[in-house]
Amino acid sequence: SSESISFPLSYDLDLDGRKEIIWQGKNIGSVLSATGGALEELSYLPTSWNYGDTFSGLYHNGSVKKGTFQRSFNDVLLPSQHTLDPYNKYDTKQVYNCGEHIYNVQCDAVNRHEVVVSLDVEKLPFSLGSFHIEKKYSFKANTIVVEFSLTNTGKHKKKGYFGSELNLSFKET
């Protein structure tokens, strides 16, 4: 008889001292990291292709930031006067990248197919103030749904942009 595995699993895959959340549905497998509160892996099981296996792209000047692993659903905050062209998440003068922050991870005890990650950031640059970011991942047999909530926790109204990068890798056919 085959042994049944109950998902999500919580295990420190990369030996960084923090447990990743592993989820597998009928056709999709994923690994959710507390680092960035983002997906480190997003695999389509019938083909064994990991769409989340990405690397840093070119800077606007053509250089590459070597050794930078990319995650899917990586959060960034930008000032209201920012234009998206050119966009460079490593430009700390124009982009606040949440990708290295450690998010709080909570698995739903009742609905085991939902995981909520959250982060409180204070005194952001660009006069953005303080925010609470929350993402709810709902894992289904063939899809992953991500809901975002952004709450201003400061005393004053703020204006800016929130974005979430969906970094994907496609193979040539």
Side-chain angles (χ1 to χ4, degrees):
S1 81
S2 65
E3 194 173 310
S4 177
I5 298 174
S6 179
F7 289 99
L9 293 175
S10 181
Y11 190 79
D12 185 6
L13 289 172
D14 57 9
L15 305 176
D16 66 354
R18 289 182 291 279
K19 292 184 177 182
E20 286 74 36
I21 303 297
I22 305 160
W23 190 87
Q24 183 174 323
K26 180 180 178 185
N27 291 315
I28 294 178
S30 64
V31 176
L32 174 63
S33 175
T35 305
L39 296 182
E40 289 187 347
E41 182 175 321
L42 179 58
S43 295
Y44 183 60
L45 301 175
T47 63
S48 301
W49 184 258
N50 178 6
Y51 286 92
D53 187 14
T54 61
F55 63 95
S56 57
L58 296 177
Y59 278 42
H60 65 281
N61 64 1
S63 65
V64 176
K65 183 168 177 141
K66 294 183 180 180
T68 305
F69 178 73
Q70 302 297 295
R71 295 176 183 90
S72 295
F73 303 108
N74 178 67
D75 302 326
V76 293
L77 295 156
L78 301 98
S80 60
Q81 67 275 14
H82 188 275
T83 61
L84 291 178
D85 186 27
Y87 168 74
N88 178 355
K89 78 174 175 186
Y90 302 108
D91 182 355
T92 57
K93 294 178 184 174
Q94 297 201 30
V95 178
Y96 188 82
N97 180 6
C98 298
E100 295 306 316
H101 285 278
I102 305 304
Y103 282 60
N104 180 41
V105 179
Q106 294 292 319
C107 292
D108 190 316
V110 176
N111 184 353
R112 295 182 46 84
H113 298 289
E114 292 183 357
V115 177
V116 175
V117 297
S118 61
L119 174 69
D120 290 305
V121 286
E122 297 183 7
K123 300 179 183 173
L124 289 166
F126 327 122
S127 300
L128 288 174
S130 302
F131 284 92
H132 175 78
I133 301 169
E134 187 173 287
K135 293 185 275 193
K136 180 171 83 172
Y137 290 89
S138 298
F139 298 97
K140 306 190 187 276
N142 297 311
T143 60
I144 298 174
V145 177
V146 184
E147 296 177 45
F148 298 88
S149 173
L150 187 65
T151 305
N152 180 352
T153 57
K155 296 179 182 178
H156 305 287
K157 288 183 179 181
K158 297 295 177 177
K159 188 175 181 181
Y161 295 105
F162 169 80
S164 189
E165 298 176 327
L166 179 57
N167 296 300
L168 297 174
S169 169
F170 297 95
K171 61 181 172 180
E172 294 183 35
T173 56

